[in-house]
Amino acid sequence: MAPRAALLLAALALPLLLAAAAPASSDPGPAAVTGVFQVRRKFPPGGGGNIAALRAHDGRRHGRLLAAADVPLGGLGLPTDTGLYYTEIKLGTPPRTYYVQVDTGSDILWVNCISCDRCPRKSGLGLDLTLYDPKASSTGSEVSCDQGFCAATYGGKLPGCSANVPCEYKVVYGDGSSTTGFFITDTLQFDQVTGDGQTQPGNGSVTFGCGAQQGGDLGTSNQALDGIIGFGQANTSMLSQLAAAGKVKKIFSHCLDTIKGGGIFAIGNVVQPKVKTTPLIADMPHYNVNLKSIDVGGTALQLPADVFKTGEKKGTIIDSGTTLTYLPELIFKEVMLAVFKKHQDITFHDVQSFLCFQYSGSVDDGFPTITFHFEDDLALHVYPHEYFFANGNDMYCVGFQNGGSQSKDGKDIVLMGDLVLSNKLVVYDLENQVIGWTDYNCSSSIKVKDDKTGAVHTVNSHDISSSSSSGWRFQWHKSLVLLLVTVVCSYLIC
């Protein structure tokens, strides 16, 4: 049995953890309104070969989050079957289809423009990419720098601005990628929900970026998409624009199903199930909350009071786009010690730098539940099948990561990703500045209310199957549906 001191030191780095956790005589073993948008996975499903690539993707997204924000919303929280999602939208008149990544961290919708330099024309995902052409849409119009949207975006009139000068944008992310272009106002097309399982064509006017130049990852074709749709809190987001127009509530929710696949993503006031909430921290660019304590198997971890303190590059962020969950080094060590307290005889294996082990029984029966406690007595229960993920026959890997070894800037941040958010209905109520969740069967349905009319309708989970060409075969059997819920009587959304 390894002594506690050895395990504490071992948790500082994976190689040391592997050595300290294994019995001394053991061989460590071989490396083993109203609208509907169908949201699909960005990465194809597969076996253990995907997990390193997904963590690398997490790393890039983590860097973007800390710098300027680019956190994709959605996902199936299993590294071996991936959970990063994109959605299909239609812009312009006549409408054309664009595939955009759903993103809780950024605040604008942008797509690659016809004049774009270094914009991919093909995608390794097997998708047909489309460049937006403002002149090809009868409803499209360029936003000038002296218009209200531009002034509001930049906090006032830009220096040197004059009539007919385009309102430009530029976003530079922490991983070095960037997008530059100008703003356009045009029609966003979607399927308007008119009843349970019934839709009809609907649309709304939105202002979005027309990307003229992309750099870094955004300029490569391996996993290229047409753009990004931001669900951040700023007034420039699609959600904020539709809410300002009185078409939707500034509330959205998601339920990611790792049991049967699929899930729900809805905009509007969820009335069933009831969800308890915790305040969002004011004046923060992301979905920051106050984490108060952690217990493992009902026993509180003894952690310094300031370890959860919120500040610049500190605190806790709810990030449904990151696949894994990242914990500051001290928290990571204590959690790992408590989780494996009754399993000192387990032999660990390094599988693409993940901490993995053989276990023939039920992990839910053999390992403790981890509970994160937040302000206003909101708890997040994370069960063993949610913080471990299966990777082959009786092989399980740990979904928690030591944030100190993943990102210098993020070493003091608790970043809670898909693995711990899956199988829960998570509600982002931006009107009341709270976020909440409850354990839920994400393959079932929720009820959403139109506050103006009082009508309540059922939103079901969705599960879409299709395939693609271009050398990769996909089974899109796990997907989300995004439904916009209006507050306007004439545009009933459910």
Side-chain angles (χ1 to χ4, degrees):
M1 181 178 293
R4 176 179 174 83
L7 283 177
L8 280 171
L9 179 62
L12 291 171
L14 180 58
L16 292 178
L17 180 57
L18 299 178
S25 60
S26 298
D27 183 345
V33 154
T34 322
V36 178
F37 300 111
Q38 296 179 351
V39 184
R40 303 177 179 180
R41 292 176 298 178
K42 183 177 179 183
F43 291 94
N50 273 345
I51 61 178
L54 280 171
R55 185 166 57 185
H57 179 92
D58 269 6
R60 292 193 295 271
R61 294 302 177 189
H62 196 177
R64 293 180 180 186
L65 170 68
L66 295 172
D70 183 13
V71 188
L73 176 66
L76 174 69
L78 298 175
T80 53
D81 205 2
T82 195
L84 302 175
Y85 286 79
Y86 61 89
T87 187
E88 177 183 309
I89 63 172
K90 293 183 179 180
L91 294 169
T93 305
R96 300 190 68 185
T97 298
Y98 302 87
Y99 298 101
V100 292
Q101 190 163 346
V102 184
D103 181 350
T104 59
S106 64
D107 294 310
I108 66 169
L109 162 63
W110 64 264
V111 294
N112 293 325
C113 206
I114 191 70
S115 59
C116 181
D117 179 25
R118 289 197 63 198
C119 279
R121 266 49 173 186
K122 295 182 179 180
S123 173
L125 298 173
L127 302 171
D128 293 327
L129 300 183
T130 302
L131 297 177
Y132 174 81
D133 184 357
K135 295 180 180 179
S137 172
S138 64
T139 51
S141 61
E142 191 174 282
V143 177
S144 62
C145 65
D146 60 348
Q147 288 183 267
F149 179 90
C150 195
T153 299
Y154 292 105
K157 189 175 181 179
L158 294 174
C161 174
S162 61
N164 300 320
V165 173
C167 180
E168 299 182 349
Y169 79 90
K170 182 174 183 179
V171 179
V172 179
Y173 300 111
D175 65 347
S177 62
S178 63
T179 175
T180 303
F182 53 94
F183 285 111
I184 292 286
T185 298
D186 206 344
T187 299
L188 171 71
Q189 309 280 332
F190 50 84
D191 293 331
Q192 182 175 320
V193 180
T194 55
D196 294 346
Q198 299 177 345
T199 64
Q200 65 182 32
N203 61 70
S205 180
V206 296
T207 298
F208 57 92
C210 195
Q213 185 173 0
Q214 316 301 358
D217 281 353
L218 296 176
T220 63
S221 61
N222 185 33
Q223 293 153 358
L225 293 169
D226 289 315
I228 293 176
I229 185 169
F231 271 85
Q233 302 186 56
N235 291 334
T236 52
S237 73
M238 182 200 72
L239 176 65
S240 295
Q241 291 185 58
L242 292 176
K247 292 189 175 183
V248 303
K249 298 286 287 184
K250 203 171 180 180
I251 305 170
F252 69 93
S253 57
H254 60 75
C255 200
L256 309 176
D257 187 357
T258 62
I259 307 301
K260 295 183 178 180
I264 305 167
F265 188 96
I267 297 178
N269 187 12
V270 178
V271 295
Q272 185 179 332
K274 297 294 184 181
V275 175
K276 194 171 185 178
T277 61
T278 189
L280 288 169
I281 298 175
D283 302 320
M284 299 296 286
H286 307 293
Y287 294 112
N288 293 70
V289 291
N290 279 316
L291 178 61
K292 310 296 286 186
S293 65
I294 303 172
D295 65 56
V296 179
T299 300
L301 299 181
Q302 299 303 306
L303 297 166
D306 64 349
V307 73
F308 301 124
K309 185 178 179 180
T310 296
E312 185 179 0
K313 299 179 181 179
K314 291 178 65 67
T316 301
I317 297 173
I318 303 300
D319 174 13
S320 61
T322 298
T323 303
L324 306 172
T325 287
Y326 297 82
L327 302 174
E329 193 169 272
L330 176 60
I331 300 176
F332 175 79
K333 292 189 301 182
E334 293 298 323
V335 168
M336 290 297 98
L337 282 169
V339 164
F340 290 102
K341 182 178 181 180
K342 296 181 180 179
H343 298 279
Q344 299 284 334
D345 58 339
I346 280 181
T347 298
F348 293 95
H349 305 279
D350 181 351
V351 181
Q352 298 181 27
S353 296
F354 278 83
L355 177 65
C356 303
F357 58 96
Q358 293 285 149
Y359 193 78
S360 59
S362 165
V363 290
D364 284 323
D365 292 338
F367 291 87
T369 296
I370 302 172
T371 303
F372 296 84
H373 297 277
F374 296 85
E375 185 178 350
D376 285 355
D377 197 30
L378 175 63
L380 178 70
H381 303 291
V382 185
Y383 306 100
H385 70 271
E386 293 169 341
Y387 63 79
F388 292 140
F389 61 91
N391 187 33
N393 295 331
D394 296 333
M395 177 71 75
Y396 292 89
C397 300
V398 179
F400 290 137
Q401 298 288 294
N402 181 348
S405 65
Q406 301 295 323
S407 169
K408 179 181 178 180
D409 289 336
K411 63 184 180 67
D412 296 320
I413 290 178
V414 175
L415 190 63
M416 310 194 78
D418 286 343
L419 276 181
V420 300
L421 298 176
S422 296
N423 309 310
K424 297 167 179 64
L425 178 68
V426 184
V427 176
Y428 303 71
D429 185 346
L430 305 186
E431 297 195 352
N432 295 301
Q433 284 296 292
V434 295
I435 187 173
W437 48 76
T438 186
D439 291 344
Y440 202 63
N441 176 5
C442 295
S443 62
S444 58
S445 63
I446 63 174
K447 291 188 181 296
V448 183
K449 180 181 180 181
D450 181 305
D451 287 335
K452 188 176 183 70
T453 66
V456 174
H457 290 271
T458 299
V459 173
N460 296 313
S461 63
H462 291 261
D463 194 349
I464 303 169
S465 297
S466 66
S467 62
S468 71
S469 55
S470 300
W472 280 5
R473 183 180 180 185
F474 302 88
Q475 297 297 322
W476 300 114
H477 60 283
K478 296 178 175 68
S479 59
L480 302 175
V481 168
L482 182 152
L483 301 115
L484 303 181
V485 183
T486 186
V487 294
V488 180
C489 180
S490 59
Y491 291 98
L492 178 62
I493 299 177
C494 58

